[in-house]
Amino acid sequence: MKPRIHLPVVPEFGPEPEPDDPLELLRGGRFARAFALMLGVLGLVWMIAHEVHAESPGAELELVEKVHTAVRGTPPMPPVEDITPDRPDPDSEPSAAPPMPPIEDITPERTTDDGVTVDRFGQKRTASGALILEDGEAELGLPQATITALDQGGFFDPSAFDDAEKVKTKAYVHLMPGLPNEVVYVGLGLILLLSFVLFERYGKRKDPRGTGGGGTREQRPYWRFELTRFTWLGRAMKSRWFQPAVQLPVVIGFLAVIVAGLIGSQEPGRNIAPVLTWNIWWIGLIFVVMFAGNLWCFMCPWTAIPDWIMRRSLVAVRKIKTLGLSYPRFRLWMWPAIVLFAFVTWLELAYDAANRPWLTSMFAIFMVALAWLCLVLFDRKAMCRYVCFVGRVSGQYATMGMLELRRRDNAVCRSCTTSDCVHGREGVGYACPTSEYMGAMNDNQYCTLCTECVKSCPHDNIALNVRSSGADLLHPHRAKIDEAYMAILVFIVSAFHGASMIPAWKQAETQLRGWLVDSDLLGTGSLFSGSDGGVLTFTLMMLACIVGPGVCYWGLCVGMRLASGRRDVSVRKLFIRFAYTLLPIALFYHLAHNATHVFWEWSKLRRLISDPLGWGTDYFGTAHAPLTSLWTPETIWYLQVALIVVGHAYGIFVAQREAFRVYDGDRKASFRVHLVMILGMIAMSLLSLWLLAQPMYMRTADI
Ligand code: SF4
Ligand code: SF4
Ligand code: SF4
């Protein structure tokens, strides 16, 4: 008889499930088959019923208002039915009908002649939904200097220009289209299908925990390729010029951005500083981390500037005069970075830092000042280990990065008596700025790639490797409560960032503010109706968005504990250990969200390199280039869905390993916990898809 052939997507192999296995149905493959079939039929019916179409605005799309209107226009206001009863003819006999009661004005928004909608708090939007940042009020008359010049010339009568109008250009934040329906449905189907297929497939593995924490190739078997086998690279990394050679141009560019933000035009969209900072650096950082780990830290100007000034050299190994205090050893080391991360997010979104050049410059100066203060107060670089939110966010994502510095041979480290990698070597290399001991370092989180350990190690035992992604998460790793809080915050803030940029958020903000004003809770109505009412309302919503998902995640951990049937593993332990498994979903959503900004908004940079200060220059002839997207909208949409699906599968894979590690190979408990976590991950990925399906405001304004 011919052997039975199984489809590769739902393979059946391995031993027969044990009779008491509660998940027999799931792992047998029937569940996934039935589920896939049902989902496919439902999806087809739904799509045909809705007759969905991808809207293709075309490759030559210009990001101007009319296109946004075409792609995702706000539907026009429905016509207002005139239900006023016929008025009596004034010449006719007076009737006995009672007079009409006064009509109450309950219109929440009013629309001006040019289609601009103004809400009750004065926020203006165009007919296509674009936010109007500046009103563009006309100024009458000429500036005094011009009047004086005209007067001296004696040819024109300056008073003849008194009614001349100078119309300020309006600044818009336009909307970018979200994913069309059929792309969302495909993503949704893939997420659901993959969830159960992966659950079945990897549920069959005997023990997927990954191996011990040793660090050699045998003990942590993941793919890696040693770059330092190229002798020129090994020699270059030992040179004291290796890092400054890269940092120096970055520092020069960084100072130029600060100056541009301070002296250039303060009109949103006319200054290169916010675009370079928020559209290129902050967004590009996440793409860089994905491939090259903490590469930004290697070139970071924030610590380089105080370092070089205090050492009075770019390369010499010199001690600097500091108070040398030990950083306070409280349990939640990372809290300063967590608080700073939340604060900067609030500053960026509530105060619209991406559209305020001077605020962007002040933020850059603040980071240098903070690094300097930490350098003066504390031993080593407390800034990098505990305070810098950028380092900590990129550090967490870098656990999935594809670049690492690691010891070559464990045995050499074990027999090493000096541990110069962590303590530094006189005249050769500094102590590790984040106190990492290369002999035991198994993840990228705190390594800033400064290469000081490479220079200091007397045994040439440190290698630079490219590796498969996620090696740090898939193998045993440290798990600490502050790192867990940071991972959760990274996940929440990445989703919150997306949510706060969609029109539904703005509407909810206006409604909540209106309700707070009207209900005057504890006499706070006047606070919310004042000029800072918008920021206050945003802050309340932001707090709710941070606390709410945090509580939901805690509830998920309670559910996992109940499902596991194991009382010896606490909710706290699950809370900490599974927080790391959220990182893949957070990273890939972050990439998908950023893809929209990068590929739609890149052309603002093309304009601004010709007129970086908004002074009317045109150095490269591109100052008036059209605002176009880099890729077609369809390509961007497919990329986004692919990223969400990959992040989801990645998260499931990592969670499965983590479950087996937490329950020390107890298959029944780890399967049950994994299933609950998968349900949570499905909810997170669907939320990501929903957010991407919404039209989204651009990060920086254009004019
Ligand atoms: S941790 Fe922060 S301050 Fe330190 S190198 Fe990285 S980005 Fe710069
Ligand atoms: S100095 Fe070199 S050999 Fe010694 S512990 Fe550090 S990495 Fe290992
Ligand atoms: S000294 Fe080595 S381990 Fe420490 S941060 Fe620098 S590169 Fe990383």
Side-chain angles (χ1 to χ4, degrees):
M1 199 176 84
K2 270 186 160 183
R4 199 169 157 202
I5 297 170
H6 298 288
L7 289 174
V9 75
V10 280
E12 278 188 26
F13 51 79
E16 284 295 310
E18 293 165 24
D20 64 339
D21 187 342
L23 299 170
E24 180 188 356
L25 178 68
L26 297 185
R27 287 206 311 284
R30 282 171 293 164
F31 181 84
R33 273 196 290 270
F35 180 77
L37 191 65
M38 196 177 68
L39 193 73
V41 172
L42 277 178
L44 272 177
V45 170
W46 193 346
M47 286 164 70
I48 293 165
H50 282 74
E51 293 182 299
V52 288
H53 303 286
E55 293 175 59
S56 172
E60 71 291 349
L61 179 74
E62 286 198 4
L63 303 184
V64 292
E65 187 181 348
K66 65 176 189 293
V67 175
H68 289 289
T69 310
V71 177
R72 277 272 182 266
T74 308
M77 289 286 286
V80 180
E81 193 186 348
D82 185 4
I83 55 168
T84 315
D86 290 336
R87 295 186 186 283
D89 185 350
D91 299 332
S92 63
E93 286 290 306
S95 75
M100 285 286 292
I103 298 170
E104 188 189 354
D105 181 10
I106 55 166
T107 314
E109 294 183 334
R110 59 196 157 82
T111 307
T112 60
D113 292 344
D114 53 357
V116 172
T117 312
V118 188
D119 71 20
R120 63 182 282 194
F121 298 108
Q123 175 69 70
K124 294 182 179 176
R125 286 185 195 83
T126 64
S128 65
L131 282 177
I132 301 178
L133 289 189
E134 284 191 354
D135 198 2
E137 293 294 329
E139 284 175 7
L140 276 184
L142 299 177
Q144 189 53 46
T146 313
I147 294 173
T148 314
L150 286 175
D151 210 13
Q152 284 168 355
F155 188 74
F156 288 110
D157 173 12
S159 63
F161 298 93
D162 283 352
D163 58 352
E165 275 191 10
K166 184 185 165 202
V167 181
K168 278 208 279 177
T169 319
K170 288 184 183 179
Y172 294 102
V173 179
H174 280 114
L175 280 169
M176 297 173 285
L179 301 175
N181 286 352
E182 81 275 24
V183 178
V184 173
Y185 296 148
V186 169
L188 194 141
L190 281 173
I191 284 170
L192 293 175
L193 190 60
L194 264 179
S195 303
F196 293 98
V197 168
L198 281 178
F199 181 77
E200 284 186 334
R201 180 164 175 73
Y202 288 100
K204 288 174 183 300
R205 283 196 171 188
K206 278 211 170 95
D207 189 345
R209 275 176 282 183
T211 44
T216 63
R217 281 167 193 267
E218 294 74 34
Q219 288 164 318
R220 296 174 80 85
Y222 55 85
W223 178 83
R224 58 190 116 173
F225 176 80
E226 185 182 333
L227 291 175
T228 30
R229 70 171 55 170
F230 302 113
T231 41
W232 61 268
L233 182 61
R235 269 207 302 273
M237 284 173 68
K238 289 202 171 124
S239 161
R240 291 231 50 89
W241 272 104
F242 186 65
Q243 197 181 15
V246 179
Q247 279 177 317
L248 195 57
V250 176
V251 166
I252 293 170
F254 173 73
L255 294 175
V257 167
I258 292 180
V259 173
L262 293 177
I263 68 167
S265 166
Q266 294 302 310
E267 280 183 42
R270 300 285 311 272
N271 192 309
I272 199 168
V275 172
L276 268 183
T277 306
W278 303 105
N279 280 26
I280 304 299
W281 167 73
W282 187 223
I283 286 176
L285 179 73
I286 308 300
F287 285 93
V288 169
V289 174
M290 170 69 203
F291 294 105
N294 285 329
L295 194 65
W296 164 253
C297 290
F298 172 71
M299 57 183 81
C300 170
W302 302 333
T303 49
I305 293 171
D307 233 20
W308 293 345
I309 293 176
M310 291 188 73
R311 293 185 205 286
R312 286 173 283 112
S313 167
L314 267 61
V315 289
V317 182
R318 283 192 195 132
K319 280 210 169 352
I320 51 176
K321 283 187 187 148
T322 75
L323 295 182
L325 304 174
S326 296
Y327 190 80
R329 308 278 292 186
F330 50 95
R331 248 177 101 196
L332 300 174
W333 287 358
M334 221 190 270
W335 270 111
I338 291 174
V339 172
L340 195 58
F341 184 34
F343 171 71
V344 171
T345 305
W346 175 81
L347 190 74
E348 180 201 343
L349 296 171
Y351 271 104
D352 208 11
N355 285 307
R356 294 172 199 254
W358 67 271
L359 194 54
T360 302
S361 295
M362 294 312 291
F363 166 68
I365 293 169
F366 167 75
M367 290 305 283
V368 175
L370 196 62
W372 208 321
L373 185 71
C374 290
L375 195 63
V376 169
L377 287 182
F378 300 115
D379 191 26
R380 306 198 183 201
K381 287 189 180 155
M383 170 80 173
C384 298
R385 174 103 195 179
Y386 310 108
V387 180
C388 173
F389 71 97
V390 174
R392 297 289 46 85
V393 172
S394 68
Q396 295 223 318
Y397 283 157
T399 53
M400 289 169 277
M402 295 161 75
L403 197 67
E404 65 172 20
L405 271 175
R406 288 292 187 278
R407 59 197 170 278
R408 283 198 182 93
D409 188 344
N410 261 2
V412 175
C413 288
R414 272 199 293 270
S415 60
C416 174
T417 52
T418 56
S419 301
D420 287 339
C421 54
V422 66
H423 300 308
R425 190 141 63 103
E426 187 85 40
V428 179
Y430 291 113
C432 173
T434 54
S435 306
E436 286 288 287
Y437 169 53
M438 189 52 84
M441 191 176 91
N442 283 325
D443 72 51
N444 280 349
Q445 199 168 159
Y446 298 99
C447 176
T448 61
L449 294 177
C450 69
T451 66
E452 290 300 331
C453 54
V454 178
K455 298 171 183 45
S456 300
C457 176
H459 306 287
D460 193 19
N461 194 31
I462 299 176
L464 179 70
N465 304 320
V466 284
R467 64 175 196 182
S468 54
S469 173
D472 299 345
L473 288 181
L474 291 169
H475 292 84
H477 56 87
R478 63 184 142 201
K480 290 165 53 194
I481 184 74
D482 52 348
E483 290 178 5
Y485 279 128
M486 191 61 167
I488 294 165
L489 189 69
V490 166
F491 173 79
I492 291 173
V493 168
S494 66
F496 164 73
H497 236 274
S500 65
M501 290 182 179
I502 62 177
W505 175 281
K506 300 278 177 206
Q507 281 164 13
E509 195 180 310
T510 305
Q511 281 168 3
L512 177 65
R513 189 177 171 193
W515 180 79
L516 288 165
V517 171
D518 296 340
S519 53
D520 195 20
L521 294 173
L522 301 172
T524 54
S526 57
L527 275 180
F528 290 97
S529 61
S531 58
D532 291 328
V535 173
L536 276 176
T537 314
F538 179 90
T539 309
L540 282 183
M541 288 174 69
M542 181 175 166
L543 283 175
C545 282
I546 289 177
V547 175
V551 172
C552 289
Y553 173 67
W554 179 82
L556 191 70
C557 295
V558 172
M560 283 196 277
R561 184 163 185 259
L562 292 175
S564 74
R566 288 266 303 265
R567 295 287 170 267
D568 55 323
V569 177
S570 65
V571 173
R572 186 174 187 274
K573 182 169 182 179
L574 293 173
F575 187 92
I576 295 173
R577 297 290 292 266
F578 279 92
Y580 294 83
T581 68
L582 302 178
L583 288 173
I585 295 185
L587 172 65
F588 282 84
Y589 169 72
H590 216 145
L591 290 172
H593 168 84
N594 285 357
T596 326
H597 291 299
V598 169
F599 297 118
W600 281 91
E601 298 191 61
W602 75 280
S603 55
K604 290 177 184 171
L605 187 65
R606 185 174 57 181
R607 279 186 173 186
L608 286 165
I609 53 171
S610 279
D611 186 12
L613 302 175
W615 288 352
T617 55
D618 194 359
Y619 297 132
F620 305 104
T622 56
H624 303 288
L627 295 174
T628 56
S629 63
L630 189 60
W631 289 353
T632 61
E634 288 88 346
T635 313
I636 301 172
W637 293 330
Y638 300 146
L639 174 73
Q640 288 179 309
V641 169
L643 286 169
I644 295 293
V645 172
V646 169
H648 181 76
Y650 203 149
I652 289 177
F653 191 46
V654 172
Q656 193 243 1
R657 294 251 179 150
E658 200 64 53
F660 265 74
R661 278 198 291 269
V662 169
Y663 288 97
D664 206 19
D666 177 344
R667 288 172 66 89
K668 193 188 278 186
S670 51
F671 280 160
R672 289 171 166 190
V673 161
H674 190 210
L675 184 60
V676 177
M677 192 64 197
I678 284 179
L679 294 177
M681 285 180 165
I682 289 174
M684 295 170 206
S685 296
L686 295 190
L687 173 71
S688 305
L689 268 186
W690 181 81
L691 285 173
L692 292 175
Q694 306 306 308
M696 188 171 68
Y697 288 110
M698 291 186 168
R699 202 175 186 97
T700 48
D702 49 68
I703 293 185

